[in-house]
């Protein structure tokens, strides 16, 4: 149970997902690549960029690694368990490679960046190691590896955003798509490996973001999720070619994306509590099609622990931010990330985390126990002194409380009507639709006789709920027969 919970932030249904070939791909009978992704949404989004680069090189995608000439694994380093899962997977690829020596295996992403050429020594079968800012060099690295050399590029960049590359959508439902708006992170939370694996923060050209969103809308997508490690510090000054460029903040960008069409729902992730501004909150409130949902990771409810984590806010400051959100956007969904058992955490600190969860009334949280990562500030500065058994016990209390909060939040929605964007059939039955409301809650409802399809908006009245899902009935469109 706990294992499942600890990796929940990285949508567990998608971990290890393979890239689906595009129908009618002209490359499908050429050289084939297989790519499997782990970790956060950013990594899944990066795999779509890699797929685009490879397709331009004449590679066709396959879903079976047994058929592939090139096997890639896009990796995550955020917790030790993520790395263990990937090592296991590499062992399976090793067996395959022994049978088919011509097959190339490449490790991409955060683990490639963290371990660099050490990976080549540790995992003998690996031919290529490519960090998150080096995907443009993949074609050259593949040629090197085909010539029998081990190929490594783990250079981090100050300006790479892959702005001009149109991602090939990975296993998309055709309704929602991720759009990366920035890369890297400058925050230096002491527990986190990301600043070391993904480098300095940089914002992507606003024009290219808007174009990508507009193209997605024209292709029939109805929801874009703007992605960045810390979207609120988005800041784009322009490329200097236009004389009238004004700096674009995250609030400006949100507004511009929202204005593409009222039929395009806009979400974003992740917000750092210290950076989300009133301007962003007012923009969310102003546009009906900007989702009323903020992922606002608290990490801990104890000011002392927050300081050790270098989160740069206190418990009171965070609570005031939650108040402000509720004041400006009264119907806003809020979710969080929580780490149990960070260095020196006492029972009192832990109780403060439980209290802040109650205070914030999270609809949902991603919950983890602390996993010390080599090279992070916490690893260098503090002792990982909370015993695993205590970490797990505290995490279980956090999980149990979140279960109660989610259930209470869902129960409050019974009787309310929501505008739902249909994403597809429900997991359990093709007689039901599954979609989300603006607050990011999943709603399942019967298809009935209504002529609806994926990508449609429909009003749904909530009649019942579980801890994780709202259940409802669709309301026939007004004025309809
Ligand atoms: N141990 C446990 N959880 C972590 N996270 C980041 N680093 C660690 C770590 N070393 C969690 C944080 C972050 C989320 C993406 O992963 O809660 O917000
Ligand atoms: Fe994503 Fe890298 Fe973080 Fe993993 S460590 S969640 S891949 S950014």
């Amino acid at each position: 149970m706990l294992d499942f919970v600890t990796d929940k932030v990285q949508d567990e249904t998608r971990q290890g997902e393979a890239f689906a070939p595009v129908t009618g791909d002209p490359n499908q009978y050429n050289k084939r690549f297989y790519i499997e992704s782990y970790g956060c949404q950013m990594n899944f989004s990066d795999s779509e960029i890699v797929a685009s680069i490879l397709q331009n090189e004449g590679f066709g995608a396959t879903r079976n690694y047994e058929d592939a000439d090139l096997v890639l694994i896009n990796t995550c380093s955020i917790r030790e368990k993520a790395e263990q899962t990937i090592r296991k997977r590499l062992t399976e690829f090793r067996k395959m490679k022994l049978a088919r020596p011509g097959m190339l295996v490449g490790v991409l992403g955060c683990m490639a960046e963290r371990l660099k050429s050490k990976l080549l020594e540790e995992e003998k079968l690996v031919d290529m190691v490519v960090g998150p800012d080096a995907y443009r060099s993949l074609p050259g690295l593949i040629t090197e590896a085909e010539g029998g050399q081990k190929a490594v590029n783990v250079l981090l960049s100050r300006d790479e955003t892959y702005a001009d590359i149109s991602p090939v959508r990975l296993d998309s439902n055709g309704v929602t798509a991720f759009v990366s708006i920035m890369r890297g992170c400058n925050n230096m939370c002491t527990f986190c490996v990301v600043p070391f694996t993904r480098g300095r923060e940089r914002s992507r050209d606003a024009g290219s973001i808007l174009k990508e969103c507009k193209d997605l809308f024209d292709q029939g997508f109805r929801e874009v999720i703007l992605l960045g490690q810390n979207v609120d510090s988005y800041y784009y000054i322009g490329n200097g070619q236009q004389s009238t460029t004004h700096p674009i903040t995250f609030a400006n960008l949100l507004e511009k994306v929202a204005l593409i069409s009222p039929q395009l729902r806009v979400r974003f992730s992740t917000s750092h509590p210290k950076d989300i501004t009133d301007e962003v909150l007012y923009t969310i409130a102003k546009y009906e099609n900007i989702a009323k949902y903020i992922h606002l990771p608290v990490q801990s409810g104890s000011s002392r622990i927050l300081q050790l984590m270098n989160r740069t806010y206190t418990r009171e400051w965070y609570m005031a931010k939650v108040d402000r959100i509720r004041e400006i956007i009264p119907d806003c969904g809020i979710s969080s990330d929580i780490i149990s058992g960070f260095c020196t955490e006492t029972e009192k600190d832990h109780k403060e985390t439980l209290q802040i969860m109650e205070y914030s009334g999270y609809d949902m949280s991603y919950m983890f126990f602390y996993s010390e990562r080599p090279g992070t500030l916490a690893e260098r500065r503090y002792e990982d002194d909370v015993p695993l058994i205590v970490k797990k016990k505290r995490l279980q209390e956090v999980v149990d409380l979140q279960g109660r909060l989610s259930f209470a939040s869902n129960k409050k929605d019974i009787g309310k009507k929501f505008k739902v964007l249909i994403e597809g059939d429900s997991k359990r039955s093709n007689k039901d639709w599954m979609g989300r409301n603006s607050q990011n809650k999943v709603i399942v409802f019967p298809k009935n006789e209504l002529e609806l399809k994926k990508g449609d908006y429909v009003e749904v009245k909530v009649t019942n709920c579980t801890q994780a899902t709202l259940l409802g009935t669709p309301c026939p469109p007004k004025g309809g027969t």
Side-chain angles (χ1 to χ4, degrees), residues 10 38-40 42-43 75-78 110 193-194 197-198 229:
Q10 309 174 333
Y38 292 83
C40 60
M42 199 63 149
N43 247 17
T75 61
C76 172
S77 289
I78 202 143
C110 292
V193 79
V194 171
T197 59
R198 289 193 163 265
Q229 248 80 34

Side-chain angles (χ1 to χ4, degrees), residues 25-223:
D25 177 0
N27 293 327
Q28 62 184 322
Y29 301 112
N30 294 353
K31 284 200 252 181
R32 299 205 180 146
F33 75 96
Y34 169 91
I35 187 166
E36 198 174 276
S37 312
Y38 292 83
C40 60
Q41 292 164 338
M42 199 63 149
N43 247 17
F44 282 78
S45 170
D46 278 1
S47 291
E48 299 182 334
I49 287 168
V50 169
S52 172
I53 293 171
L54 292 177
Q55 289 198 339
N56 280 340
E57 289 297 303
F59 277 89
T62 171
R63 254 199 167 155
N64 303 321
Y65 70 82
E66 291 90 344
D67 299 342
D69 303 287
L70 172 64
V71 171
L72 299 173
I73 180 161
N74 198 352
T75 61
C76 172
S77 289
I78 202 143
R79 279 168 291 274
E80 197 182 344
K81 173 142 182 304
E83 290 202 356
Q84 282 164 355
T85 311
I86 289 155
R87 298 249 188 203
K88 251 197 241 145
R89 195 66 181 138
L90 282 171
T91 326
E92 288 162 34
F93 293 155
R94 176 181 296 134
K95 283 192 209 129
M96 192 69 229
K97 187 156 163 99
L98 290 175
R100 294 182 56 216
M103 178 180 109
L104 296 180
V105 176
V107 179
L108 315 179
C110 292
M111 216 170 142
E113 192 62 51
R114 193 177 85 70
L115 294 165
K116 305 189 169 56
S117 50
K118 260 207 273 176
L119 254 180
L120 296 176
E121 292 149 33
E122 290 168 14
E123 304 287 341
K124 295 262 182 293
L125 86 157
V126 170
D127 303 291
M128 288 186 296
V129 176
V130 192
D133 285 347
Y135 298 145
R136 278 184 208 270
S137 67
L138 264 169
L141 296 173
I142 293 169
T143 313
E144 257 178 61
E146 280 171 343
Q149 284 179 44
K150 301 277 178 193
V152 183
N153 187 349
V154 287
L155 288 176
L156 287 173
S157 158
R158 280 191 168 264
D159 46 31
E160 178 63 272
T161 58
Y162 301 111
D164 54 315
I165 296 181
S166 303
V168 177
R169 300 292 154 191
L170 183 144
D171 203 33
S172 163
N173 60 8
V175 179
T176 54
F178 295 118
V179 176
S180 161
I181 65 163
M182 57 200 299
R183 299 180 72 81
C185 183
N186 286 355
N187 282 330
M188 286 301 194
C189 300
T190 56
F191 52 77
C192 193
V193 79
V194 171
F196 306 99
T197 59
R198 289 193 163 265
R200 304 291 294 169
E201 188 177 281
R202 63 221 99 119
S203 297
R204 176 179 166 190
D205 177 331
S208 81
I209 297 171
L210 288 171
K211 181 173 179 311
E212 187 174 329
C213 294
K214 169 102 180 40
D215 288 349
L216 285 165
F217 182 72
D218 292 342
Q219 288 162 34
F221 284 84
R222 289 295 171 263
E223 184 173 83

Side-chain angles (χ1 to χ4, degrees), residues 9 78-79 191-192 297 299 337-339 368-371 373:
V9 73
I78 202 143
R79 279 168 291 274
F191 52 77
C192 193
Q299 312 297 1
D337 291 348
I338 295 160
I339 299 178
F368 318 94
F369 60 77
Y370 174 57
S371 161
R373 305 310 293 131

